[in-house]
Amino acid sequence: MKKILVTGGAGFIGSNFINYILGYRDDLFIVNLDKLTYAGNLENLKEIENHKNYFFVKGDINNNELIDFLFKKYSFDYVINFAAESHVDRSILGSEVFYISNVVGTNVLLEASRRYGIEKFIQISTDEVYGSLGSTGLFTERTPLSPNSPYSSSKAAADLMALSSHHTFGLPVVITRCSNNYGPYQFPEKLIPLMIINALSNKNLPVYGDGLNVRDWVYVIDHNRAVELVLEKGKPGEVFNIGASREMKNIDIVKLILTKLAKPENLIQYVKDRPGHDRRYAIDSSKIQNELGWKPQFDFEKAIDQTIDWYLANREWWNRIITGDYQKYYKTLYGDR
Ligand code: NAD
Ligand code: DAU
């Protein structure tokens, strides 16, 4: 039985990872360490909360004593660091917590992994570390890092720290850089769930700038299958891009959601652009395809339908979220719309 420390496992991608992997494997024991920020939600893990190979710990990756205690107690084989502040708009409103959690917190985990010795450390990074593309070209693993937001600069810093731990101390680190994910349990501050929920509530759909920014979409389970492969076969010191070659203009996603929900296009409202808004992301994932045999399995049209259906079937999940603090945040960004 291999023991994995999964951090940030109550968030969108981390919870999908735990549900996915414990859903079919019984050779792994997972300790999920999550601070339960606004984005962490134990409801995402209801199906596996009593699984014999699962244990939840509420805590901060910056808590050195707790991290030390957990490493001593469990002798982890692997660490997968999903924990992060993940939303670009929030990083523009206030950057400090992004550097504390994403940079300093990652260092706490790297140092503990070094002290105790582990087989592999996976740093879950993002394609945003590469900056922005023009109308052509793709990000490869050799594209120079050029992050543009406080969020992406914090993720780039963590990548460099992780790679330097490998280079200097031989820590077996592998980095994954994935493009935009969609799927169940995504917090409704991100484009796809926000637009679905606003459309269902007959609220305006705030599209930044001209709506022509491009993102490259991958279904969350395809991302997590890639993380699993990297855990098994990824060579330490390497970086793997993950993406499904599904570029979409934001406005086209928004119109698609409205069509599927039979809602009128006059709900779309063009709003002030995000400061420093990256124009286009597009991933070359040939390295993980050729070296590890990964391929996306989910077709965008079907998976976006499934995602919309999930939000339709899980109104209680998002209704609880879109009250309270979230409303204050939404008001800060969009006023009273
Ligand atoms: P999320 O915001 O939904 O979840 C983040 C989780 O981390 C939450 O459960 C939160 O409580 C936890 N967390 C935050 N700070 C913590 C701390 N200091 N200690 C312990 N737990 C903490 O984010 P997500 O969308 O699931 O993203 C997960 C990871 O994947 C992040 O590292 C993000 O940078 C990366 N990523 C996300 C995407 C995407 O499209 N969402 C794409 C590529 C990479
Ligand atoms: O590329 C990977 C990254 O994708 C991850 O590293 C981040 O954690 C994740 O949040 C995501 O970042 P983006 O900034 O691309 O995602 P977001 O959903 O915030 O926005 C997607 C696009 O939609 C972007 O061009 C901004 C635009 N947008 C977003 C919101 C929330 C709008 O036009 N209106 C909105 O209300």
Side-chain angles (χ1 to χ4, degrees), residues 188-211 250-272 308 326 330 333-334 336-337:
E189 64 192 350
K190 307 284 174 14
L191 181 76
I192 289 181
L194 178 76
M195 297 299 162
I196 297 171
I197 286 166
N198 278 17
L200 288 173
S201 320
N202 297 311
K203 283 173 77 175
N204 284 330
L205 276 54
V207 173
Y208 298 163
D210 60 8
N250 292 339
I251 189 65
D252 292 337
I253 295 248
V254 170
K255 286 183 177 167
L256 183 104
I257 290 169
L258 287 171
T259 307
K260 294 209 188 282
L261 293 173
K263 295 286 181 177
E265 282 195 7
N266 65 10
L267 284 178
I268 294 173
Q269 183 175 26
Y270 286 94
V271 298
K272 203 162 139 279
I308 294 173
Y326 177 76
Y330 192 86
L333 277 180
Y334 308 117
D336 278 320
R337 277 196 301 275

Side-chain angles (χ1 to χ4, degrees), residues 220-240:
V220 62
I221 299 301
D222 274 332
H223 179 185
N224 283 328
R225 284 179 41 255
V227 171
E228 183 184 14
L229 264 183
V230 168
L231 187 70
E232 280 162 6
K233 303 203 278 186
K235 194 167 148 251
E238 294 289 316
V239 175
F240 291 95

Side-chain angles (χ1 to χ4, degrees), residues 5 16 65 75 115 187 225 285-286 308 321:
L5 174 63
N16 273 288
E65 288 77 36
S75 307
R115 274 197 310 281
F187 195 85
R225 284 179 41 255
S285 63
S286 52
I308 294 173
I321 291 174

Side-chain angles (χ1 to χ4, degrees), residues 240-251:
F240 291 95
N241 283 352
I242 304 165
S245 303
R246 194 57 162 92
E247 289 183 55
M248 294 277 288
K249 293 188 187 81
N250 292 339
I251 189 65

Side-chain angles (χ1 to χ4, degrees), residues 86-89 126-128 151 178-180 189-191 194-195 206-208 213 215 217 250 274 277 281 334:
S86 67
H87 194 43
V88 174
D89 292 325
T126 166
D127 61 355
E128 294 200 15
Y151 163 70
C178 190
S179 61
N180 288 62
E189 64 192 350
K190 307 284 174 14
L191 181 76
L194 178 76
M195 297 299 162
V207 173
Y208 298 163
N213 298 63
R215 296 294 182 265
W217 295 93
N250 292 339
R274 172 186 279 176
H277 197 175
Y281 303 147
Y334 308 117

Side-chain angles (χ1 to χ4, degrees), residues 8-14 33-41 59-62 81-86 101 124-127 151 155 178-181 186-187 189-190 223:
F12 163 50
I13 303 174
L33 172 66
D34 197 296
K35 187 180 168 185
L36 299 183
T37 67
Y38 76 95
N41 187 348
D60 193 324
I61 56 171
N62 279 291
N81 185 26
F82 289 99
E85 290 293 334
S86 67
S101 287
I124 304 294
S125 184
T126 166
D127 61 355
Y151 163 70
K155 295 296 289 184
C178 190
S179 61
N180 288 62
N181 286 218
Q186 187 166 30
F187 195 85
E189 64 192 350
K190 307 284 174 14
H223 179 185

